[in-house]
Amino acid sequence: MFGKTIKRVVQVGVALSFSVSAYAQQEVKIGVIYPLTGAAASSGAEMKNALELAADIINNGAKGIPDLPFSAGGGLPNLKGAKIKLIFADHQGNPQVGATEAERLITQEKVIALVGAYQSNVTATASQVAERNKVPFLNPESSSATLTQRNFKWFFRTTAHDDLFVQNFFDFFKDMEAKKGIQVKQLGAFNENTLWGNETTKLETKLAQEKGYNLVKTITYPAKSTQLTSEVQALKAGGPQVVMQSSYLGDAILAMKTYKELGFSPDMILANNAGFTDTEFIRTLGKDADYVITREVWSLDLAKKNPLIKQVNDLFNSRYKANFTGNSSRTFTGLMTLADAINRAGSTDTEAVRKALTETNIPGSKLIMPWKGIKFDATGQNVYGSGILVQIIDGKYNTVWPFDLATRDVTWPMPKWDQRK
Amino acid sequence: MSLEIFLQTLASGVLIGLIYALVAIGLTMIFGVMDIINFSHGEFLMFGMYSSFWLYALYALDPIFTLPLTTLFLFGFGVMVYKLVISKIVTAPMVSQLFTTFGLMLLFRGIAQFFWKPDFRTVDQSIVSGSVQIAGFQIGLPQVTAGVGAILITAGVYLFLTKTKAGAALEATAADKDAARLMGIDSQKMFALAWGIGAACAGIAGALLSTFFPIFPEVGANFILIAFVVVNLGGFGSIVGALIAGVLVGVIEVVGGFLLGPQYKLAIVLVLFLAVLMFRPQGLMGKA
């Protein structure tokens, strides 16, 4: 008798709460956590622009781009046209701030999902808060492989991670041998010594061994060095054909200058993104940046194969007077993926959104990324996330690998320093 | 290691070491005269770099030619920082002084980020660019210029201290504030002078660096740790000590890095530093 009453009360309560949330769906609040101040503020600003563009397309439409999801505008159709509202938080590149901001967004702003946070170490702490609070966390651009090895239920990553990117280097060598007859045997690993560089070094060593390459020199240098003379001298003495390098911007610039100064000319410098794809890299080094190949996740010249890329980039460019970058295009894609899931869930209930995320299946033709699509595995990793390789020629990035996406033939080897014009 | 590589690394080490010395001289001077550790010293260097950069970017003036201007800017800036902030805490406890200069460091970085954003900039065209080939090894011209500049400035500061009346007054203040005051030396003026010269030294180092090192708001952090090591190793307050220690640290960093592996280069420097502190706590040239 008593049990029946309680059951009734609960039923009514649940029904009420559902109808309340159904009527309150004017806005879907999404928390976005990015470095808006601090050392990474310029990247943060780019990504903020990408997020605002994505939200604007969902809410107000994008004329003339019918292939892009939500380009009709008018909010999320399955939620009676509810609009996306982004709540911005600034983590300043600081993991602790990232965690407290995530907490604030969830408990005070009542966001139903989080997107962020660019730097892997901040993503790690912020997503932990989301996991504890059972709120979906969509990570568009952090590449530390460990993020999806934590058995989290609420964490989803659209981009490929570092392990896959390094794997791509070796795929590239194999392709070079098979399709161009260029043999790469002697490798050098030149990485900075924080978590990222060390993980990369480990993986490069392992893969080189497995695949029968000769790693003649392995150097991990202290990040933010005042000089890299001994490093480059040691590399030169090892005589690698190809140098695989992971450096942030300041070190990348310093390394290139030291290569030139000491006349170190390997066949190729195969860079692991980061400093080498920063807009300042080419601007600072000018012609000396030419011929470097770096892995990327996105490049404007891919538009030749996928018209969506140019159309959306034009929108971005007309608003912010800048093109997409690997970061901003991924952040854009991340928010669009989350919106797709919320729409399919047809609800702002976090469990429903999580479930919809696990069922995500977006084909590559609906994306501005060079991926086959978006589909998450049990760990929350997008199984289709992959990288490309671009080569700098005349101060521009040109896609050179995978060969079927290439817009330009790879120039190999790089000319020696004293033979350049 | 072949002779050629040895000479090359040695030269690189000496050249960067001279820059370390120049940064450290400003730091050791401020400490020597008034016993204040200036955490914002790296930011003086950063402002020196930006001063060179903006004169270059806006008026196409070469950092080498604008060196006197940068020196003046930074001298004035150092004096101003002293008058507005440091003069209020001269007699405050050590901890307050540390926090004050630490706060200044954060403030200056913040100001630089606010005005110039965290972007990396470089001076890409300078009369000193390219490299020279000497006896089979190469060294960059900007580095050579910076090294020579550092020697000249160090010598200048040394001569100023030992040969001029103002320099003698500064030394007297450093030796004993109260006695110097009784002799009619205005210690406030001397402190301001020390800050001016200290900031100017860091600024000159920044200007010389700007021809080959990227410029960004946090660039001071790259040099300040090493500058502290150099000051300590050379002996607090000793100009000659800073010069010797700076070159020593540069050479050990580069040569040691090459021989034992670059990942250990800072560790080697710090081990040597600890060894010196154990056996000679006052530093190489410091007074016991």
Side-chain angles (χ1 to χ4, degrees):
Chain A
M1 180 72 190
F2 213 66
K4 233 177 192 177
T5 319
I6 290 179
K7 209 172 161 191
R8 235 321 135 66
V9 170
V10 170
Q11 277 171 346
V12 172
V14 168
L16 271 178
S17 67
F18 258 105
S19 57
V20 166
S21 66
Y23 278 107
Q25 269 164 22
Q26 298 300 317
E27 264 176 2
V28 174
K29 279 192 184 178
I30 297 175
V32 286
I33 308 183
Y34 282 93
L36 304 177
T37 59
S42 60
S43 307
E46 254 175 26
M47 293 184 279
K48 181 169 183 270
N49 290 344
L51 290 162
E52 280 172 342
L53 178 70
D56 188 54
I57 288 175
I58 296 164
N59 293 339
N60 305 314
K63 277 203 188 94
I65 317 183
D67 289 338
L68 186 72
F70 303 115
S71 62
L76 301 172
N78 294 355
L79 283 90
K80 301 182 179 158
K83 308 253 172 174
I84 296 272
K85 185 170 187 210
L86 300 178
I87 315 278
F88 282 93
D90 174 17
H91 66 56
Q92 305 159 15
N94 181 334
Q96 267 131 359
V97 179
T100 44
E101 284 297 281
E103 195 89 53
R104 180 180 69 83
L105 289 171
I106 293 168
T107 55
Q108 287 173 33
E109 300 283 354
K110 312 274 182 221
V111 301
I112 62 146
L114 289 168
V115 176
Y118 183 48
Q119 286 115 320
S120 288
N121 55 352
V122 188
T123 302
T125 58
S127 59
Q128 214 153 17
V129 174
E131 185 77 11
R132 204 174 56 228
N133 286 286
K134 300 197 185 335
V135 168
F137 191 105
L138 194 127
N139 166 239
E141 65 290 276
S142 302
S143 63
S144 170
T146 52
L147 287 171
T148 39
Q149 295 162 2
R150 299 178 294 174
N151 294 321
F152 277 16
K153 264 182 73 186
W154 299 82
F155 184 76
F156 298 88
R157 164 158 62 187
T158 41
T159 184
H161 54 71
D162 288 335
D163 287 9
L164 290 170
F165 288 137
V166 175
Q167 179 84 39
N168 283 344
F169 284 177
F170 289 89
D171 296 342
F172 170 64
F173 296 148
K174 218 172 74 197
D175 281 5
M176 286 291 281
E177 192 168 342
K179 302 208 170 123
K180 310 237 174 227
I182 295 171
Q183 279 215 342
V184 175
K185 281 286 157 223
Q186 329 273 69
L187 301 177
F190 187 34
N191 303 319
E192 53 99 54
N193 71 346
T194 67
L195 184 67
W196 173 56
N198 274 320
E199 293 288 316
T200 312
T201 306
K202 259 188 244 163
L203 194 64
E204 283 171 355
T205 312
K206 182 173 151 255
L207 287 174
Q209 243 167 24
E210 276 174 22
K211 295 173 189 288
Y213 292 88
N214 187 7
L215 198 57
V216 291
K217 202 84 203 172
T218 306
I219 292 175
T220 50
Y221 68 88
K224 292 189 185 164
S225 273
T226 51
Q227 45 85 11
L228 291 172
T229 312
S230 38
E231 285 80 352
V232 176
Q233 202 68 267
L235 263 183
K236 204 176 159 184
Q241 246 178 308
V242 175
V243 173
M244 300 181 288
Q245 182 171 355
S246 304
S247 299
Y248 290 108
L249 183 59
D251 300 337
I253 292 172
L254 194 59
M256 291 303 291
K257 290 193 168 193
T258 313
Y259 291 155
K260 187 179 177 186
E261 191 192 311
L262 298 181
F264 174 55
S265 293
D267 281 1
M268 191 52 66
I269 291 158
L270 194 52
N272 195 4
N273 196 284
F276 291 87
T277 51
D278 194 295
T279 38
E280 301 294 326
F281 181 75
I282 291 178
R283 214 177 71 194
T284 297
L285 288 168
K287 284 203 100 32
D288 289 345
D290 272 359
Y291 306 109
V292 168
I293 294 182
T294 169
R295 67 102 173 145
E296 240 309 2
V297 285
W298 187 88
S299 169
L300 188 53
D301 67 353
L302 290 168
K304 285 177 197 163
K305 311 261 157 123
N306 178 357
L308 206 56
I309 291 175
K310 187 180 180 316
Q311 291 164 344
V312 181
N313 186 68
D314 283 350
L315 269 186
F316 189 77
N317 195 306
S318 66
R319 274 170 83 135
Y320 304 110
K321 306 284 165 266
N323 290 328
F324 270 123
T325 61
N327 282 331
S328 50
S329 59
R330 277 188 295 178
T331 307
F332 178 89
T333 306
L335 185 58
M336 293 302 258
T337 307
L338 180 63
D340 170 75
I342 297 172
N343 187 49
R344 276 184 292 107
S347 149
T348 54
D349 175 54
T350 51
E351 174 57 40
V353 174
R354 193 194 74 82
K355 191 157 172 297
L357 274 167
T358 61
E359 291 160 359
T360 299
N361 192 358
I362 305 175
S365 58
K366 304 267 183 204
L367 299 175
I368 61 167
M369 304 302 300
W371 300 338
K372 289 196 188 72
I374 294 174
K375 191 175 178 180
F376 297 106
D377 64 14
T379 66
Q381 173 63 41
N382 174 18
V383 293
Y384 295 132
S386 59
I388 58 172
L389 294 179
V390 294
Q391 184 167 33
I392 304 173
I393 302 281
D394 294 329
K396 288 208 169 54
Y397 293 104
N398 304 275
T399 306
V400 292
W401 184 88
F403 291 133
D404 57 336
L405 290 177
T407 57
R408 191 187 171 113
D409 207 26
V410 57
T411 304
W412 189 286
M414 351 181 15
K416 306 245 175 288
W417 290 105
D418 49 16
Q419 285 158 16
R420 295 190 185 190
K421 271 171 264 166
Chain B
M1 181 170 175
S2 72
L3 183 67
E4 183 196 317
I5 292 180
F6 177 72
L7 288 177
Q8 174 100 56
T9 39
L10 191 67
S12 301
V14 170
L15 291 176
I16 193 73
L18 287 169
I19 295 283
Y20 293 165
L22 188 52
V23 179
I25 280 163
L27 197 60
T28 206
M29 173 148 218
I30 290 171
F31 181 85
V33 174
M34 52 197 303
D35 289 346
I36 286 183
I37 293 173
N38 178 22
F39 277 110
S40 65
H41 197 68
E43 280 53 51
F44 288 149
L45 174 118
M46 179 262 292
F47 282 133
M49 292 181 96
Y50 273 109
S51 158
S52 296
F53 172 77
W54 285 114
L55 287 167
Y56 165 78
L58 299 176
Y59 307 108
L61 295 170
D62 198 291
I64 301 303
F65 295 136
T66 56
L67 201 57
L69 263 175
T70 301
T71 314
L72 270 181
F73 279 157
L74 266 293
F75 184 88
F77 184 66
V79 171
M80 193 188 81
V81 168
Y82 173 76
K83 294 245 149 128
L84 292 180
V85 184
I86 308 298
S87 61
K88 314 281 190 284
I89 54 139
V90 172
T91 54
M94 173 92 152
V95 179
S96 319
Q97 294 176 341
L98 287 184
F99 276 114
T100 306
T101 60
F102 193 80
L104 282 176
M105 172 190 90
L106 296 177
L107 174 73
F108 293 154
R109 275 187 204 176
I111 287 175
Q113 279 209 0
F114 179 78
F115 282 111
W116 308 312
K117 299 192 275 175
D119 294 350
F120 279 61
R121 331 257 184 160
T122 40
V123 174
D124 40 19
Q125 295 280 317
S126 166
I127 46 161
V128 288
S129 56
S131 55
V132 280
Q133 193 115 15
I134 309 169
F137 65 93
Q138 277 195 323
I139 40 179
L141 265 179
Q143 282 86 340
V144 174
T145 317
V148 173
I151 294 177
L152 291 179
I153 300 298
T154 311
V157 172
Y158 184 74
L159 288 177
F160 170 78
L161 285 178
T162 51
K163 302 283 176 212
T164 67
K165 221 175 155 186
L170 205 58
E171 290 265 63
T173 309
D176 189 335
K177 285 193 252 306
D178 299 318
R181 194 158 51 231
L182 290 174
M183 294 294 144
I185 296 170
D186 182 347
S187 55
Q188 286 291 324
K189 258 192 195 152
M190 288 302 121
F191 291 165
L193 183 65
W195 275 80
I197 297 176
C201 284
I204 295 169
L208 292 169
L209 272 174
S210 70
T211 56
F212 63 94
F213 205 82
I215 302 156
F216 52 100
E218 289 177 349
V219 66
N222 294 29
F223 290 89
I224 200 67
L225 172 73
I226 290 178
F228 277 122
V229 171
V230 169
V231 166
N232 237 317
L233 189 61
F236 275 101
S238 167
I239 304 284
V240 180
L243 181 66
I244 295 172
V247 174
L248 205 57
V249 167
V251 169
I252 291 169
E253 195 189 17
V254 179
V255 177
F258 179 76
L259 290 177
L260 294 181
Q263 57 269 50
Y264 305 117
K265 65 180 186 185
L266 275 181
I268 301 166
V269 170
L270 294 174
V271 165
L272 169 101
F273 170 55
L274 286 176
V276 170
L277 284 192
M278 272 161 72
F279 298 109
R280 219 185 134 77
Q282 70 272 35
L284 294 176
M285 304 294 283
K287 294 171 190 80

XYZ file of all heavy atoms in Angstrom, chain A residues 38-39 41-42 218-222 224-231 233-234 237 249-250 253-254 257 260-263 280 283-284, chain B residues 5 8-9 12 16 20 113 118-120 122 124 131 138-140 143 212-214 218 222-223 226 253-254 257-258 262-263 265-266:
500
model
N 46.928 33.886 -21.333
C 48.095 33.046 -21.097
C 48.842 32.768 -22.389
O 48.517 33.320 -23.432
N 49.837 31.862 -22.285
C 50.760 31.665 -23.402
C 50.070 31.169 -24.665
O 50.519 31.435 -25.768
C 51.853 30.682 -22.987
N 47.044 31.982 -25.671
C 45.856 32.812 -25.911
C 45.567 33.016 -27.389
O 44.407 33.095 -27.799
C 46.018 34.154 -25.205
N 46.609 33.096 -28.229
C 46.333 33.347 -29.640
C 45.658 32.136 -30.275
O 44.738 32.284 -31.086
C 47.601 33.744 -30.396
O 48.559 32.727 -30.319
N 69.048 9.611 -31.000
C 67.833 9.988 -30.280
C 68.181 11.113 -29.324
O 69.018 10.946 -28.447
C 67.279 8.801 -29.476
O 67.121 7.704 -30.362
C 65.945 9.148 -28.851
N 67.564 12.253 -29.504
C 67.871 13.379 -28.631
C 66.588 13.944 -28.053
O 65.644 14.261 -28.769
C 68.611 14.483 -29.407
C 69.999 13.992 -29.807
C 68.724 15.751 -28.559
C 70.750 14.950 -30.671
N 66.551 14.034 -26.723
C 65.475 14.812 -26.112
C 66.138 16.011 -25.460
O 67.013 15.873 -24.628
C 64.717 14.001 -25.046
O 65.666 13.424 -24.168
C 63.889 12.915 -25.668
N 65.739 17.192 -25.885
C 66.400 18.404 -25.393
C 65.487 19.115 -24.408
O 64.265 18.960 -24.465
C 66.760 19.326 -26.564
C 65.556 19.912 -27.229
C 64.998 21.109 -26.780
C 64.948 19.263 -28.299
C 63.865 21.635 -27.369
C 63.819 19.790 -28.891
C 63.286 20.984 -28.423
O 62.157 21.495 -29.004
N 66.060 19.909 -23.488
C 65.226 20.659 -22.537
C 64.376 21.699 -23.273
O 64.916 22.514 -24.024
C 66.249 21.355 -21.633
C 67.551 20.701 -21.914
C 67.491 20.145 -23.285
N 62.303 24.976 -24.183
C 62.611 26.386 -23.950
C 64.104 26.599 -23.723
O 64.515 27.264 -22.773
C 61.832 26.930 -22.759
C 60.353 27.014 -23.030
C 59.669 27.753 -21.916
C 58.164 27.742 -22.093
N 57.484 28.118 -20.879
N 64.917 26.013 -24.569
C 66.354 26.176 -24.452
C 66.766 27.576 -24.888
O 66.095 28.202 -25.695
C 67.062 25.160 -25.334
O 67.253 23.954 -24.656
N 67.895 28.047 -24.337
C 68.433 29.313 -24.808
C 69.281 29.087 -26.050
O 69.525 29.996 -26.812
C 69.303 29.969 -23.732
O 70.236 28.995 -23.275
C 68.455 30.430 -22.569
N 69.791 27.870 -26.222
C 70.537 27.542 -27.437
C 70.429 26.048 -27.700
O 70.237 25.268 -26.782
C 71.992 27.988 -27.323
C 72.662 27.664 -26.013
C 73.242 26.271 -25.964
O 73.321 25.613 -26.980
N 73.621 25.837 -24.791
N 70.541 25.658 -28.962
C 70.430 24.242 -29.306
C 71.680 23.750 -30.025
O 71.629 22.813 -30.809
C 69.189 24.023 -30.190
C 67.840 24.218 -29.497
C 66.687 24.173 -30.482
C 67.625 23.147 -28.432
N 72.803 24.411 -29.745
C 74.029 24.075 -30.469
C 74.469 22.638 -30.251
O 74.737 21.909 -31.211
C 75.180 25.001 -30.028
O 74.703 26.336 -30.055
C 76.355 24.865 -30.958
N 74.540 22.208 -28.982
C 75.042 20.853 -28.741
C 74.100 19.814 -29.340
O 74.534 18.783 -29.837
C 75.261 20.604 -27.254
O 74.273 21.189 -26.469
N 72.787 20.112 -29.295
C 71.805 19.191 -29.853
C 72.040 18.979 -31.344
O 72.105 17.852 -31.838
C 70.392 19.748 -29.663
C 69.853 19.655 -28.253
C 70.360 20.752 -27.335
O 71.253 21.514 -27.759
O 69.897 20.841 -26.199
N 74.637 19.779 -33.131
C 75.970 19.219 -33.351
C 75.920 17.697 -33.211
O 76.482 16.968 -34.033
C 76.902 19.818 -32.289
C 78.339 19.789 -32.627
C 78.672 20.719 -33.769
O 78.689 20.305 -34.909
N 78.936 21.966 -33.457
N 75.214 17.217 -32.181
C 75.124 15.782 -31.951
C 74.333 15.098 -33.067
O 74.683 14.004 -33.513
C 74.469 15.503 -30.596
N 76.496 14.825 -36.097
C 77.485 13.771 -35.956
C 76.862 12.397 -36.209
O 77.518 11.488 -36.712
C 78.105 13.821 -34.560
N 56.838 26.183 -30.635
C 57.251 27.251 -31.556
C 58.651 27.824 -31.324
O 59.465 27.859 -32.246
C 56.207 28.373 -31.536
C 56.476 29.513 -32.496
C 56.551 29.036 -33.929
C 55.390 30.576 -32.363
N 58.933 28.276 -30.109
C 60.216 28.934 -29.866
C 61.387 28.015 -30.190
O 62.353 28.408 -30.855
N 61.760 27.362 -34.049
C 62.434 28.457 -34.747
C 63.939 28.412 -34.462
O 64.764 28.491 -35.366
C 61.848 29.811 -34.314
C 60.406 29.953 -34.812
C 62.703 30.966 -34.834
C 59.679 31.159 -34.275
N 64.254 28.247 -33.185
C 65.660 28.208 -32.787
C 66.384 27.034 -33.464
O 67.509 27.177 -33.953
C 65.750 28.071 -31.261
C 67.101 28.351 -30.631
C 67.552 29.764 -30.934
C 67.023 28.149 -29.120
N 67.078 27.809 -37.128
C 68.184 28.768 -37.263
C 69.518 28.088 -37.000
O 70.515 28.380 -37.660
C 67.996 29.932 -36.287
C 66.841 30.832 -36.688
C 66.865 32.128 -35.920
C 65.881 33.099 -36.547
N 66.038 34.451 -36.068
N 70.672 25.903 -39.910
C 71.251 26.684 -40.989
C 72.656 27.157 -40.603
O 73.598 27.049 -41.377
C 70.359 27.881 -41.302
C 70.825 28.642 -42.518
C 69.920 29.812 -42.831
C 70.476 30.582 -44.020
N 69.734 31.809 -44.285
N 72.745 27.667 -39.378
C 74.024 28.203 -38.919
C 75.113 27.136 -38.944
O 76.243 27.395 -39.349
C 73.827 28.724 -37.502
C 74.960 29.553 -36.965
C 74.771 29.754 -35.476
O 73.652 30.129 -35.067
O 75.724 29.513 -34.725
N 74.770 25.921 -38.510
C 75.780 24.868 -38.442
C 75.823 24.029 -39.725
O 76.529 23.024 -39.793
C 75.525 23.964 -37.239
C 75.589 24.645 -35.868
C 75.355 23.642 -34.754
C 76.928 25.342 -35.649
N 75.044 24.445 -40.722
C 75.070 23.740 -41.999
C 74.627 22.297 -41.918
O 75.179 21.420 -42.563
N 53.188 31.726 -36.943
C 54.404 32.521 -36.783
C 55.627 31.818 -37.368
O 56.640 32.457 -37.621
C 54.678 32.788 -35.299
C 53.565 33.510 -34.581
C 53.382 34.923 -35.086
O 54.397 35.545 -35.453
O 52.230 35.380 -35.138
N 56.173 32.937 -40.940
C 56.358 34.384 -40.951
C 57.734 34.764 -40.397
O 58.386 35.670 -40.890
C 55.256 35.057 -40.132
C 54.863 36.401 -40.731
C 53.734 37.042 -39.988
N 54.151 37.507 -38.686
C 53.288 37.867 -37.741
N 51.999 37.798 -37.969
N 53.725 38.290 -36.588
N 58.142 34.052 -39.366
C 59.422 34.354 -38.740
C 60.604 33.912 -39.595
O 61.551 34.650 -39.777
C 59.508 33.638 -37.383
O 58.488 34.172 -36.550
C 60.859 33.859 -36.737
N 84.783 19.829 -34.445
C 83.545 19.867 -33.658
C 83.810 20.503 -32.296
O 83.009 21.288 -31.791
C 82.968 18.452 -33.487
C 82.481 17.944 -34.845
C 81.820 18.441 -32.488
C 81.894 16.567 -34.809
N 84.039 24.189 -32.671
C 82.703 24.720 -32.978
C 81.850 24.827 -31.715
O 81.243 25.860 -31.433
C 82.020 23.800 -33.982
C 80.589 24.150 -34.276
C 80.439 24.902 -35.571
O 80.859 24.440 -36.621
N 79.848 26.070 -35.501
N 81.810 23.737 -30.936
C 80.987 23.768 -29.733
C 81.557 24.761 -28.720
O 80.809 25.485 -28.065
C 80.888 22.381 -29.075
O 82.144 21.752 -29.177
C 79.863 21.515 -29.745
N 80.528 28.246 -29.778
C 79.101 28.464 -29.492
C 78.885 28.671 -28.004
O 78.096 29.524 -27.591
C 78.272 27.276 -29.958
O 78.438 27.063 -31.325
N 77.297 32.171 -26.290
C 76.053 32.250 -25.512
C 76.393 32.575 -24.060
O 75.658 33.286 -23.376
C 75.219 30.950 -25.626
C 73.806 31.163 -25.074
C 75.849 29.783 -24.896
C 72.906 31.983 -25.947
N 74.827 35.266 -21.318
C 74.425 34.935 -19.941
C 75.096 35.903 -18.971
O 74.486 36.392 -18.021
C 74.859 33.517 -19.561
C 74.174 32.396 -20.293
C 74.693 31.104 -20.272
C 72.990 32.614 -20.993
C 74.073 30.060 -20.935
C 72.363 31.579 -21.661
C 72.914 30.310 -21.632
O 72.304 29.278 -22.282
N 51.930 40.873 -22.717
C 50.909 40.060 -23.388
C 49.727 40.899 -23.813
O 49.148 40.689 -24.870
C 50.430 38.959 -22.452
C 51.366 37.794 -22.424
C 50.656 36.493 -22.116
O 49.448 36.473 -21.915
N 51.403 35.422 -22.097
N 50.640 37.145 -27.262
C 51.713 36.167 -26.998
C 52.477 35.751 -28.250
O 53.261 34.822 -28.210
C 50.939 34.968 -26.428
C 49.524 35.343 -26.402
C 49.320 36.569 -27.185
N 52.248 36.425 -29.378
C 52.918 36.047 -30.629
C 54.438 36.051 -30.512
O 55.009 36.788 -29.734
C 52.547 37.037 -31.742
C 51.090 36.945 -32.095
O 50.442 35.999 -31.619
O 50.600 37.819 -32.824
N 55.042 35.236 -31.347
C 56.499 35.260 -31.472
C 56.870 36.251 -32.562
O 56.280 36.261 -33.620
C 57.025 33.880 -31.872
C 57.135 32.941 -30.731
C 56.012 32.583 -30.011
C 58.358 32.413 -30.372
C 56.098 31.714 -28.943
C 58.455 31.533 -29.309
C 57.327 31.181 -28.598
N 60.269 38.249 -34.659
C 61.714 38.225 -34.858
C 62.131 39.399 -35.717
O 61.347 39.929 -36.490
C 62.211 36.954 -35.569
O 61.280 36.637 -36.576
C 62.402 35.812 -34.630
N 64.044 39.977 -38.725
C 64.573 39.049 -39.726
C 65.653 39.659 -40.616
O 66.352 38.953 -41.305
C 63.446 38.421 -40.569
C 62.366 39.413 -40.904
O 62.646 40.622 -40.813
O 61.252 38.995 -41.247
N 76.463 33.757 -41.490
C 77.490 33.199 -40.625
C 78.849 33.286 -41.313
O 78.945 33.467 -42.512
C 77.154 31.749 -40.290
O 76.964 31.019 -41.474
N 81.775 26.943 -38.481
C 80.921 28.088 -38.762
C 80.403 28.703 -37.486
O 79.991 27.995 -36.576
C 79.694 27.617 -39.554
C 79.946 27.479 -41.030
C 78.633 27.369 -41.768
O 77.703 26.754 -41.283
N 78.545 27.979 -42.932
N 80.397 30.027 -37.408
C 79.645 30.637 -36.319
C 78.797 31.772 -36.866
O 79.164 32.434 -37.829
C 80.534 31.154 -35.155
C 81.800 31.800 -35.688
C 80.849 30.070 -34.182
C 82.668 32.341 -34.577
N 77.634 31.956 -36.240
C 76.691 32.959 -36.711
C 77.205 34.359 -36.399
O 77.702 34.615 -35.309
N 75.565 36.062 -33.366
C 76.102 35.590 -32.095
C 77.450 36.243 -31.800
O 77.731 36.610 -30.658
C 76.263 34.062 -32.119
C 74.974 33.282 -31.914
C 74.206 33.056 -33.202
O 74.406 33.756 -34.196
N 73.302 32.101 -33.185
N 68.845 37.296 -33.176
C 68.788 35.864 -33.494
C 67.872 35.042 -32.604
O 67.720 33.849 -32.818
C 70.201 35.246 -33.515
C 70.931 35.283 -32.188
C 70.884 34.207 -31.325
C 71.681 36.389 -31.841
C 71.575 34.235 -30.122
C 72.365 36.431 -30.640
C 72.323 35.343 -29.780
N 67.242 35.648 -31.629
C 66.378 34.870 -30.745
C 64.949 35.388 -30.860
O 64.753 36.594 -30.935
C 66.873 34.980 -29.300
C 66.470 33.820 -28.430
C 67.202 32.651 -28.447
C 65.355 33.906 -27.611
C 66.830 31.571 -27.653
C 64.981 32.831 -26.820
C 65.733 31.661 -26.842
N 63.945 34.481 -30.907
C 62.567 34.966 -31.024
C 62.146 35.802 -29.807
O 62.643 35.607 -28.702
C 61.732 33.691 -31.143
C 62.620 32.565 -30.811
C 64.026 33.012 -30.971
N 57.172 35.875 -22.646
C 57.758 35.075 -21.579
C 59.212 34.720 -21.834
O 59.771 33.830 -21.195
C 56.929 33.809 -21.380
C 55.596 34.160 -20.753
C 54.688 32.983 -20.580
O 54.977 31.914 -21.109
O 53.663 33.161 -19.911
N 63.348 32.088 -20.047
C 64.373 31.209 -20.610
C 65.753 31.539 -20.048
O 66.605 30.684 -19.922
C 64.438 31.338 -22.131
C 63.187 30.832 -22.797
O 62.114 30.883 -22.212
N 63.307 30.333 -24.009
N 65.976 32.821 -19.751
C 67.320 33.243 -19.368
C 67.498 33.440 -17.873
O 68.608 33.395 -17.368
C 67.672 34.544 -20.103
C 67.885 34.319 -21.571
C 66.833 34.390 -22.457
C 69.142 33.996 -22.057
C 67.026 34.151 -23.805
C 69.352 33.755 -23.404
C 68.285 33.839 -24.281
N 69.169 30.633 -15.634
C 70.612 30.554 -15.858
C 71.307 31.776 -15.266
O 72.378 31.662 -14.665
C 70.898 30.384 -17.360
C 70.452 28.991 -17.781
C 72.378 30.582 -17.662
C 70.608 28.675 -19.224
N 77.550 24.016 -20.704
C 76.250 23.625 -21.227
C 76.402 23.023 -22.626
O 75.887 21.946 -22.923
C 75.340 24.852 -21.267
C 73.893 24.525 -21.445
C 73.049 25.768 -21.691
O 73.603 26.831 -22.043
O 71.853 25.675 -21.559
N 77.132 23.721 -23.489
C 77.226 23.274 -24.880
C 78.156 22.066 -25.034
O 77.784 21.059 -25.633
C 77.691 24.431 -25.796
C 77.813 23.945 -27.229
C 76.701 25.583 -25.724
N 76.808 19.150 -23.022
C 75.617 18.646 -23.707
C 75.999 17.766 -24.875
O 75.390 16.725 -25.121
N 77.029 18.172 -25.605
C 77.435 17.381 -26.765
C 78.048 16.050 -26.335
O 77.765 15.001 -26.893
C 78.427 18.161 -27.625
C 78.894 17.383 -28.820
C 78.054 17.224 -29.922
C 80.135 16.783 -28.832
C 78.462 16.486 -31.020
C 80.549 16.040 -29.933
C 79.708 15.899 -31.029
N 72.478 15.952 -24.938
C 71.850 17.245 -24.685
C 70.796 17.223 -23.592
O 70.554 18.228 -22.943
C 71.205 17.581 -26.030
C 71.942 16.765 -27.031
C 72.372 15.523 -26.324
N 70.180 16.047 -23.374
C 69.129 16.019 -22.355
C 69.685 16.317 -20.964
O 68.965 16.655 -20.049
C 68.361 14.686 -22.373
C 69.191 13.447 -22.187
C 69.659 12.898 -23.520
O 70.202 13.599 -24.359
N 69.453 11.605 -23.721
N 72.132 18.636 -20.407
C 72.982 19.825 -20.383
C 72.707 20.735 -19.186
O 73.647 21.236 -18.572
C 72.895 20.590 -21.706
C 71.563 21.196 -22.028
C 71.628 21.923 -23.379
C 70.340 22.657 -23.629
N 70.294 23.272 -24.939
N 71.436 20.908 -18.819
C 71.152 21.746 -17.647
C 71.575 21.041 -16.366
O 72.059 21.670 -15.429
C 69.674 22.104 -17.599
C 69.279 23.327 -18.424
C 67.792 23.606 -18.277
C 70.090 24.551 -17.996
